[in-house]
Amino acid sequence: MNLRAVRAIVVKDLTVLRHAKAVLIPLIVVPLVMLLVLPALAAFAPRLADLPGASDLNALLEGMPAAMQARLAGFSEDERIVVLLLTYLFAPLYLILPLMVASVIAADTFAGERERRTLEALIYTPTSDMELLVGKLLAGFLPALAVAWGGFAFYSVVANLAAWPTLGRLFFPTGMWFVLALWVAPAVAAVGLGATVIVSSRVSTFQEAYQIGGVVVLPIVLLVVGQAAGVVVLSTGFVVALGAVFWAVALVLLRYGARTFRRGELMARA
Amino acid sequence: MAAAQVILTERLTRRFGEATAVDALDMTVERGEVVGLLGHNGAGKTTTVRLLNGVLAPSSGRAQVLGLDPQRDGVALRRRCGVSTETPSVDERLTGRQGLRFFAEVYDVARERVEPRLAELLAAFDLEAAADQRVGTYSKGMRQRLTLARALLHEPELLFLDEPSSGLDPVAARAVDERIAGLRDGGTTVLLCTHNLAQAQALCDRVVVLEHGKVVASGAPTALAAELGARLAVRVALRLDDASAAPGLLADVPGIDQVVTQQAEPLELRFEAADADAIAAAVRALVRAGADVYAVERELPSLEHVYFALHRGERLAHGSSGRLVADDGVQRAEVAAGQRAQGEEVRS
């Protein structure tokens, strides 16, 4: 493997990305909403719960499965709402970040580059198909990892600040969140990359690749809904298993993507 | 494969579904040659370049480039080839220098050589002043020059130039031609894909004309033109009291046709003559009518004549595999029995 060429592809793609507003804006706005605005709103949750007609939050708490109720047992009623939101309900939303970053960048570096007709020069270079693929995958994976881990650190600060008026102490990150950030988030990013690589070889534009590849967000949406409905309870054991499933899916997608990745076929669609 | 042969293809074929982009292509290119691959859009030129670089796999047939099999040794082969793509294919979000640096890394140019080589090429292609501007701000000519510079970064032995003057204004196109001529003079082997016939005539040692992926003619441009028997085109500069009567004076001269007034003042006629005797008869007819003849000039048959003649022939005898080969010096038409009809149509 020609690591110099792989590195050059990664550096070039990331340099190009820095100047691509259409790609960059969602990569900044969505994390800000997820990691700053939502947890900040959680700080007001106890006060909202006291308002007349705000029965939904209380109902949500009461509807939680016994396992979740047990985990929140040591907290007061106000504390329970804040901890439930910041530790459990927002956890699946956090996973959307690495998935989105990886998918957007992969769609841009595969389908987008073909759409801009800049891929043609690249396919004539003395890189193997594998080097080309690895370079482009890393160009999506590394920023996804940076956003996931940087976002985790940022969220830890914001969550503690948001919860401070209610809890009066540091409570975050939990063990489950460490597993989520270090084990599940990279897996989710890999799933997004695998799906987008496969989709990108079959469509012509960045938009198509991104939209069709976006289907992989569904399992995460199911997690959000499942937790809110009390069907799923995120625990350390559960997220370890969840990560393993995501890694397995990523492996299948990436292997299939690598097997079908042929520079000539990419150009045939240009 | 002879040592001097840089490209050799044998019945190289590539199909896309039902369509055949390259059809049993037999071609050789020798070291130091500039060979033009001519054909209209969709004739199979770009697909040929992709096949020869191992970017596409052939459906059948084989190719050898620089002694390597493009499919098996694609990476090693591409290290020794440079390709200037039809579309500039340069990322608008990078600066010219960043784009070149990226390709220098990918082509594995020695680290200590990267910056000097970049400086050298930016200067050679007159891009120094704009080197640190985004390519998005470049004119089409600048992009084309950048594409050429990129193709030369690693000093390739074999250069593929795919429509290098496409969409350029005449000044920029001439500058590109001068660069290619410089490369030719420096001994670089070049496969030039173009539908710019004047460019091919000026730069190429040999041309290969493709139609629907098939070779319909190959040879030295002038030899091909002569072989096709293009009629002699003649221009005559003269003075005649009744200028409007001039074309009519030639109407009855045997072997003369296609008479047009090229220019009214000073009067210039253009016509086609069957042979040299017909030209002499035409001049005599003009002099008898009281014309003062200042100049008689024979136009050399051009590649353009060949190309359009072939194109007409292809349409008239569509489906035949008429193929014409002309060598410099000894000219010969390889028009096989079944193909003769097409050759005759071409001449008509």
Side-chain angles (χ1 to χ4, degrees):
Chain A
M1 174 94 51
N2 179 354
L3 294 179
R4 188 182 179 202
V6 171
R7 185 180 168 278
I9 293 169
V10 174
V11 170
K12 191 271 284 179
D13 281 353
L14 294 182
T15 308
V16 166
L17 199 69
R18 285 214 314 267
H19 302 294
K21 281 185 195 145
V23 179
L24 219 50
I25 288 172
L27 295 187
I28 293 169
V29 172
V30 177
L32 276 181
V33 171
M34 300 259 186
L35 302 175
L36 181 65
V37 178
L38 287 180
L41 286 175
F44 299 100
R47 271 171 251 174
L48 291 174
D50 293 338
L51 290 175
S55 54
D56 287 353
L57 276 174
N58 293 320
L60 178 70
L61 274 171
E62 284 157 20
M64 285 287 123
M68 179 67 85
Q69 300 274 15
R71 248 177 254 144
L72 298 171
F75 295 101
S76 70
E77 199 167 302
D78 283 356
E79 289 171 346
R80 281 165 63 195
I81 292 173
V82 172
V83 173
L84 177 70
L85 286 172
L86 292 174
T87 309
Y88 297 100
L89 295 187
F90 290 168
L93 295 178
Y94 161 78
L95 292 178
I96 290 175
L97 298 182
L99 179 69
M100 183 199 67
V101 173
S103 302
V104 169
I105 296 176
D108 186 68
T109 59
F110 285 97
E113 188 152 10
R114 188 172 55 219
E115 192 179 357
R116 296 190 296 275
R117 305 190 71 89
T118 53
L119 196 60
E120 192 169 6
L122 196 54
I123 63 163
Y124 285 116
T125 59
T127 49
S128 64
D129 286 351
M130 188 50 76
E131 287 160 358
L132 212 53
L133 181 67
V134 169
K136 295 221 159 266
L137 287 178
L138 282 177
F141 190 68
L142 295 178
L145 218 54
V147 168
W149 291 350
F152 172 55
F154 182 71
Y155 183 78
S156 299
V157 174
V158 174
N160 281 314
L161 285 174
W164 191 268
T166 310
L167 268 74
R169 63 183 167 84
L170 298 177
F171 81 107
F172 198 90
T174 64
M176 180 195 83
W177 266 83
F178 271 113
V179 176
L180 206 65
L182 300 178
W183 170 244
V184 187
V188 167
V191 169
L193 285 174
T196 313
V197 167
I198 293 169
V199 170
S200 291
S201 63
R202 287 161 176 75
V203 299
S204 304
T205 65
F206 163 74
Q207 286 297 344
E208 283 176 278
Y210 181 49
Q211 282 163 9
I212 299 172
V215 171
V216 292
V217 82
L218 278 178
I220 293 177
V221 172
L222 285 177
L223 268 183
V224 175
V225 174
Q227 259 209 139
V231 179
V232 177
V233 177
L234 289 191
S235 63
T236 306
F238 182 87
V239 292
V240 168
L242 188 68
V245 170
F246 276 129
W247 275 119
V249 173
L251 207 65
V252 170
L253 291 175
L254 288 169
R255 278 188 67 148
Y256 180 74
R259 250 203 347 255
T260 55
F261 184 82
R262 297 283 175 275
R263 62 180 64 212
E265 303 309 321
L266 279 180
M267 284 318 299
R269 292 197 163 268
Chain B
M1 186 176 188
Q5 280 179 349
V6 171
I7 297 175
L8 168 70
T9 69
E10 287 173 357
R11 302 198 63 74
L12 188 67
T13 301
R14 171 66 198 208
R15 292 183 205 92
F16 293 101
E18 295 293 302
T20 303
V22 174
D23 193 355
L25 176 70
D26 290 326
M27 183 175 77
T28 57
V29 175
E30 304 210 343
R31 192 167 294 280
E33 266 192 319
V34 176
V35 173
L37 206 52
L38 303 187
H40 54 70
N41 292 335
K45 304 186 299 289
T46 301
T47 302
T48 302
V49 172
R50 289 179 182 170
L51 287 167
L52 294 177
N53 278 276
V55 166
L56 277 179
S59 305
S60 62
R62 64 183 279 269
Q64 223 176 349
V65 181
L66 294 167
L68 300 169
D69 176 344
Q71 272 309 296
R72 207 186 47 219
D73 312 310
V75 172
L77 172 63
R78 289 192 293 272
R79 208 177 289 282
R80 296 166 62 188
C81 296
V83 181
S84 165
T85 49
E86 182 178 0
T87 50
S89 194
V90 283
D91 209 310
E92 299 194 349
R93 302 163 184 174
L94 296 176
T95 67
R97 193 189 303 277
Q98 284 173 329
L100 287 181
R101 191 178 289 129
F102 164 66
F103 281 98
E105 298 279 336
V106 173
Y107 275 100
D108 212 14
V109 173
R111 285 174 209 277
E112 67 280 6
R113 277 286 297 144
V114 171
E115 294 307 322
R117 183 71 181 144
L118 256 55
E120 207 174 297
L121 286 168
L122 287 166
F125 285 90
D126 201 18
L127 289 167
E128 270 173 315
D132 296 311
Q133 289 169 19
R134 296 252 189 92
V135 174
T137 65
Y138 283 20
S139 69
K140 201 158 187 177
M142 291 165 80
R143 289 173 196 220
Q144 208 71 46
R145 294 206 301 274
L146 186 66
T147 306
L148 273 175
R150 181 186 65 208
L152 295 170
L153 262 172
H154 55 301
E155 300 174 76
E157 294 168 55
L158 171 60
L159 198 56
F160 295 87
L161 303 177
D162 197 354
E163 305 290 359
S165 310
S166 170
L168 296 185
D169 63 58
V171 176
R174 173 168 289 194
V176 167
D177 285 357
E178 283 168 4
R179 301 279 176 211
I180 299 169
L183 291 167
R184 178 192 60 195
D185 298 341
T188 307
T189 310
V190 179
L191 185 70
L192 172 67
C193 299
T194 184
H195 44 224
N196 181 336
L197 303 172
Q199 181 183 48
Q201 179 138 19
L203 296 172
C204 297
D205 301 309
R206 286 192 300 120
V207 294
V208 175
V209 184
L210 292 180
E211 276 277 355
H212 306 296
K214 281 180 183 293
V215 177
V216 291
S218 68
T222 48
L224 263 182
E227 185 57 43
L228 269 171
R231 287 167 65 83
L232 304 174
V234 181
R235 275 184 302 177
V236 180
L238 68 158
R239 193 195 62 76
L240 190 67
D241 290 338
D242 183 7
S244 62
L249 295 173
L250 300 179
D252 296 329
V253 177
I256 299 293
D257 57 20
Q258 310 283 334
V259 184
V260 290
T261 303
Q262 190 96 334
Q263 192 174 288
E265 189 60 45
L267 182 58
E268 190 177 298
L269 297 178
R270 184 183 184 282
F271 55 85
E272 287 187 8
D275 51 34
D277 290 342
I279 300 173
V283 174
R284 280 198 300 273
L286 290 170
V287 171
R288 268 201 307 272
D292 296 325
V293 176
Y294 300 124
V296 178
E297 190 183 351
R298 252 180 70 178
E299 287 177 12
L300 289 171
S302 71
L303 197 54
E304 197 168 329
H305 290 110
V306 176
Y307 189 78
F308 288 110
L310 282 167
H311 197 55
R312 284 197 300 272
E314 175 74 11
R315 287 208 174 133
L316 289 167
H318 191 76
S320 80
S321 56
R323 177 172 176 171
L324 198 112
V325 178
D327 297 331
D328 230 353
V330 183
Q331 296 159 12
R332 60 198 166 85
E334 283 188 357
V335 184
Q339 301 160 345
R340 191 165 298 281
Q342 183 187 4
E344 285 165 3
E345 292 287 359
V346 166
R347 284 168 175 78
S348 66

